[in-house]
């Protein structure tokens, strides 16, 4: 993982390359299995922007990513990815799924280069090294731990150099230290390549560390859309950071509180509290 | 019972390994001795069952004259030709019905109905159609092999992890590449289960076919021996069938071990 300290990666170039594409979700409604997941959901993401999506489990974060890449079709509304940048019709979108989805019958390195020409092997090895798994290149996925598989899936997504990268809780199974290293890696790659990134996370601090904007989903809509106006690299220590984290968390809790009070079987308790 | 080295005397791991290797053979060897003893004592008339010694002698005579190997070769060739025909047909049809909805609609119901007919019940018809020559045996073997391969291929393709398919598509795979990288390897464990069943059926069908009528092969040798009451030759034939069946099973296991070496169940050291 020494590569993360590579000066080329840590010090970002003055201006990022214009690789990214914009994303527009216009009043998108999606129902799954008869239940409305997203309702008149509206969000605009600029080309090259880094947006973090937060929200409680089951609020539709994965569904949002899946609809952007076309795995779910909205019942209403419009989804547009990179209207201006049109490379052979479809812009390059890659998604890192919440479950790592490695092919069990391919060794780690071929998993990372899936769908790519053999000329990508050196690059794949480099990224594998960055996620700290260079020595596992020849192993089967079944022999890796959950967090290691996640890192391979992250490497696979990064190698493709997409115009839009969707990350669905990419660091969910990692310990605090590895998590920070991977955050730095994602930030460095994003800074150097200039793609648009949408990161789903349940960790508000992670969202604030990495994103230009934090979007909170609640009840199928955008409940909060906060611009993070802090210089990178960000550290958790600053007062501004803490204030923003507090603001987003209290908003999540507020909604949760209202939900609890709305429940009939908790009525007596909330009355006691008054 | 042999003393279990583990408990009786905890010496070296080597002795323990030898003990573990030998333990399963104790009962068969004891049975063999009992059988030989029963024959020598005259308890077991040789027109009923020959002594093990007579079986071994008969085996040595038959193999020295070369007769045995001719029969083994003929039977093996028959088995694997039938296997090739039935297996390839089953694989191709299974891949087609598994991959294309309209082929499934068109063929699967028909094939499932035919499957319900026990293959051996067809023997009178098969004799009527093909007579009693080589093609009748090939047909029976191929028929026995076809269904296990077909059904498991179909099922394997249908049960490929949808999440992996989704992933493959979003990573730019489609058409033949999606098939080669994800669908086929995903279906392979199931296909190999089919192949293993098929190899078992292959021998059953061959034995039946050769027993009904043959002019060469292990079945012919056995049935011919019956007419002359050569029980020792008959037992040699039966044991040969068992041995060849075991070898086919080992072959299937070897294929699984090689092709499914990525599978957690087949990972030994690394
Ligand atoms: N295939 C499906 N059929 C029916 N309902 C579904 C399906 N997939 C998801 N849902 C429902 O849609 C809602 C949103 O699911 P989604 O996976 O987007 O949540 P999430 O925000 O990603 O949650 P988590 O943080 O736990 O991953 C959930 O209530 C879920 O039960
Ligand atoms: Mg999710």
């Amino acid at each position: 993982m020494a590569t993360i300290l590579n000066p080329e990666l840590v010090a970002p170039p003055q201006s990022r390359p214009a690789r990214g594409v914009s994303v527009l979700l216009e009043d998108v409604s999606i129902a799954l299995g008869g239940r409305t997941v997203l309702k008149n959901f509206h969000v605009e993401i600029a080309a090259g922007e880094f947006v973090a999506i937060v929200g409680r489990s089951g609020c539709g974060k994965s569904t949002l990513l899946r609809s952007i890449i076309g795995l779910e079709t909205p019942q209403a509304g419009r989804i547009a990815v990179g209207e201006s940048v049109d490379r052979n019709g479809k812009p390059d979108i890659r998604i890192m799924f919440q479950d790592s989805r490695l092919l069990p019958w391919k060794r780690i390195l071929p998993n990372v280069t899936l769908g790519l020409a053999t000329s990508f092997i050196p690059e794949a090895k480099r990224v594998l090294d960055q996620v700290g798994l260079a020595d596992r290149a020849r192993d089967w996925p079944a022999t890796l731990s959950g967090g290691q598989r996640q890192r391979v899936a992250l490497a696979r997504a990064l190698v493709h150099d997409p115009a839009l990268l969707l990350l669905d809780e990419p660091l969910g199974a990692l310990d605090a230290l590895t998590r920070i290293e991977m955050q730095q890696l994602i930030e460095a790659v994003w800074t150097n390549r200039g793609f648009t990134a949408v990161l789903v996370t349940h960790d508000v601090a992670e969202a604030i560390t990495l994103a230009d904007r934090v979007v909170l989903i609640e009840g199928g809509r955008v409940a909060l859309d906060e611009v993070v106006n802090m210089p990178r690299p960000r550290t958790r220590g600053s007062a501004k950071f803490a204030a923003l984290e507090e603001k987003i968390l209290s908003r999540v809790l507020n909604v949760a509180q209202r939900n609890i009070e709305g429940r009939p079987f908790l009525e007596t308790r909330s009355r006691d509290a008054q | 019972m042999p003393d279990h080295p583990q408990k009786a005397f905890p010496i070296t791991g080597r002795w323990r390994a030898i003990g573990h290797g030998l333990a399963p053979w104790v009962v068969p060897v004891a049975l063999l001795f009992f059988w030989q003893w029963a024959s020598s004592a005259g308890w077991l008339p040789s027109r009923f069952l020959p002594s093990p010694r007579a079986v071994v002698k008969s085996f040595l005579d038959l193999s020295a004259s070369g007769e045995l190997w001719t029969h083994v070769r003929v039977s093996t060739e028959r088995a694997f030709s039938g296997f090739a025909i039935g297996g390839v047909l089953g694989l191709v049809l299974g891949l087609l019905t598994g991959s294309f909805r309209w082929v499934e609609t068109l063929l699967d119901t028909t094939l499932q109905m035919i499957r319900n007919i026990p293959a051996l019940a067809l023997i009178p018809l098969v004799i009527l159609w093909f007579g009693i020559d080589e093609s009748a045996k090939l047909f029976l073997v191929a028929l026995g092999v076809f269904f296990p391969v077909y059904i498991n291929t179909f099922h394997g393709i249908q049960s490929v992890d949808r999440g992996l398919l989704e992933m493959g598509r979003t990573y730019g795979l489609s058409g033949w590449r999606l098939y080669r990288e994800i669908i086929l390897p995903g279906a392979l464990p199931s296909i190999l289960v089919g192949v293993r069943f098929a190899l078992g059926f292959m021998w059953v069908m061959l034995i039946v076919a050769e027993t009904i009528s043959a002019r060469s092969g292990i079945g012919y040798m056995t049935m011919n021996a019956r007419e002359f009451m050569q029980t020792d030759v008959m037992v040699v034939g039966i044991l040969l069938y068992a041995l060849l069946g075991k070898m086919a099973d080992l072959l299937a296991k070897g294929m699984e071990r090689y092709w499914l070496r990525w599978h957690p169940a087949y990972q030994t050291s690394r």
Side-chain angles (χ1 to χ4, degrees):
Chain A
M1 248 169 271
T3 339
I4 293 167
L5 301 176
N6 183 338
E8 182 203 335
L9 282 179
V10 172
Q14 289 308 316
S15 63
R16 299 174 58 232
R19 175 93 180 86
V21 289
S22 64
V23 181
L24 169 70
L25 281 93
E26 208 172 55
D27 298 319
V28 169
S29 295
I30 296 181
L32 291 175
R35 182 194 285 116
T36 306
V37 180
L38 297 180
K39 197 165 57 190
N40 297 327
F41 189 90
H42 192 103
V43 74
E44 286 169 41
I45 298 169
E49 199 176 10
F50 198 134
V51 172
I53 310 284
V54 295
R56 301 172 71 80
S57 176
C59 71
K61 304 183 294 294
S62 297
T63 308
L64 174 66
L65 292 197
R66 290 171 57 82
S67 69
I68 292 175
I69 201 170
L71 292 172
E72 307 287 357
T73 329
Q75 272 80 35
R78 191 168 72 97
I79 298 174
V81 178
E83 276 168 319
S84 47
V85 186
D86 216 41
R87 287 196 334 151
N88 306 333
K90 262 190 192 166
D92 264 343
I93 314 178
R94 288 293 175 268
I95 182 168
M96 179 191 160
F97 292 95
Q98 198 165 359
D99 43 343
S100 45
R101 301 200 188 175
L102 303 180
L103 296 179
W105 44 83
K106 280 182 176 291
R107 296 176 194 270
I108 298 304
L109 186 64
N111 254 297
V112 176
T113 56
L114 182 74
L116 294 172
T118 45
S119 56
F120 276 86
I121 289 176
E123 169 69 2
K125 283 184 174 158
R126 213 174 56 80
V127 181
L128 257 186
D129 187 38
Q130 286 178 340
V131 300
L133 291 171
D135 54 329
R136 307 302 297 267
R138 294 181 45 76
D139 289 352
W140 299 110
T143 64
L144 265 57
S145 75
Q148 289 172 330
R149 278 178 224 170
Q150 260 191 343
R151 275 141 69 199
V152 175
L154 179 64
R156 181 174 65 186
L158 294 179
V159 164
H160 275 253
D161 190 22
L164 170 60
L165 181 62
L166 311 173
L167 301 167
D168 198 345
E169 299 198 17
L171 314 178
L174 300 184
D175 63 287
L177 274 178
T178 317
R179 182 177 263 261
I180 289 170
E181 283 179 331
M182 292 301 108
Q183 286 172 359
Q184 288 172 348
L185 174 64
I186 291 173
E187 187 173 39
V189 175
W190 171 78
T191 311
N192 285 312
R193 302 241 187 100
F195 52 78
T196 310
V198 182
L199 167 83
V200 165
T201 175
H202 60 247
D203 180 356
V204 174
E206 180 171 290
I208 299 170
T209 309
L210 291 176
D212 296 324
R213 247 166 80 204
V214 181
V215 172
L216 168 68
I217 305 182
E218 197 64 74
R221 294 166 182 274
V222 178
L224 194 70
D225 191 340
E226 271 311 305
V227 174
V228 186
N229 216 341
M230 278 185 269
R232 296 167 187 271
R234 298 166 185 152
T235 42
R236 291 182 87 149
S238 80
K240 207 170 171 187
F241 191 112
L244 189 56
E245 187 175 5
E246 177 62 32
K247 181 175 177 185
I248 296 171
L249 275 177
S250 71
R251 177 63 207 250
V252 177
L253 282 175
N254 250 337
V255 180
Q257 200 63 39
R258 255 185 278 130
N259 280 348
I260 289 170
E261 282 168 8
R263 278 195 207 151
F265 67 90
L266 283 172
E267 256 177 8
T268 44
R269 221 188 109 213
S270 49
R271 229 179 270 136
D272 286 349
Q274 278 164 9
Chain B
M1 278 303 290
D3 31 6
H4 230 276
Q6 249 165 328
K7 284 167 195 160
F9 37 100
I11 323 173
T12 56
R14 189 140 163 235
W15 280 109
R16 188 174 299 177
I18 291 172
H20 265 282
L22 290 182
W25 295 99
V26 170
V27 174
V29 169
L31 280 176
L32 206 63
F33 273 108
F34 177 74
W35 176 13
Q36 176 66 46
W37 172 76
S39 298
S40 322
W43 284 35
L44 207 59
S46 72
R47 61 184 166 79
F48 212 74
L49 198 64
S51 72
R53 203 193 300 261
V55 173
V56 171
K57 185 178 178 308
S58 158
F59 174 82
L60 291 176
D61 289 349
L62 282 168
S63 63
S65 73
E67 192 189 341
L68 184 81
W69 305 118
T70 320
H71 291 311
V72 168
R73 191 177 46 82
V74 168
S75 285
T76 311
E77 270 172 20
R78 255 178 213 147
F80 282 97
S81 318
F83 181 85
I85 297 170
V88 167
L89 270 178
L91 186 71
V92 169
L93 280 181
L95 290 178
L96 285 175
T97 48
S99 312
F100 302 104
R101 187 38 68 77
W102 64 272
V103 186
E104 184 192 344
T105 321
L106 198 68
L107 289 181
D108 193 54
T109 313
T110 315
L111 288 171
Q112 297 290 350
M113 284 193 308
I114 297 176
R115 185 172 77 104
N116 285 321
I117 305 170
L120 296 179
L122 287 177
I123 286 177
L125 263 186
V126 171
I127 293 177
L128 185 74
W129 292 340
F130 299 99
I132 51 170
D133 64 353
E134 213 48 38
S135 47
K137 298 178 200 65
L138 283 188
F139 180 85
L140 278 176
V141 173
L143 192 70
V145 164
F146 174 82
F147 283 105
V149 173
Y150 168 75
I151 287 176
N152 285 286
T153 305
F154 173 71
H155 178 257
I157 298 266
Q158 295 274 298
S159 57
V160 172
D161 186 342
R162 303 189 66 82
L164 292 182
L165 280 176
E166 223 175 58
M167 186 280 298
R169 291 208 183 89
T170 65
Y171 275 79
L173 300 181
S174 60
W176 167 240
R177 288 200 68 196
L178 189 72
Y179 215 79
R180 201 192 58 199
E181 309 271 26
I182 298 183
I183 299 178
L184 277 183
L188 200 56
S190 179
I191 295 177
L192 287 179
V193 168
V195 166
R196 201 152 153 197
F197 272 107
L199 283 171
F201 278 116
M202 173 180 88
W203 286 112
V204 172
M205 298 305 274
L206 185 78
I207 292 167
V208 172
E210 286 191 339
T211 307
I212 293 167
S213 75
R215 268 173 238 105
S216 56
I218 301 170
Y220 164 79
M221 186 183 85
T222 315
M223 291 309 280
N224 202 38
R226 185 189 56 110
E227 290 189 9
F228 300 100
M229 295 295 277
Q230 296 168 319
T231 48
D232 48 350
V233 177
M234 290 168 69
V235 172
V236 169
I238 291 167
L239 290 179
L240 274 179
Y241 274 137
L243 198 70
L244 291 175
K246 182 73 192 167
M247 273 159 66
D249 199 48
L250 285 179
L251 183 74
K253 270 191 190 152
M255 286 198 289
E256 283 182 1
R257 196 158 297 226
Y258 177 75
W259 273 320
L260 303 184
R261 61 194 186 284
W262 50 267
H263 202 281
Y266 292 92
Q267 263 154 24
T268 42
S269 56
R270 232 175 92 107

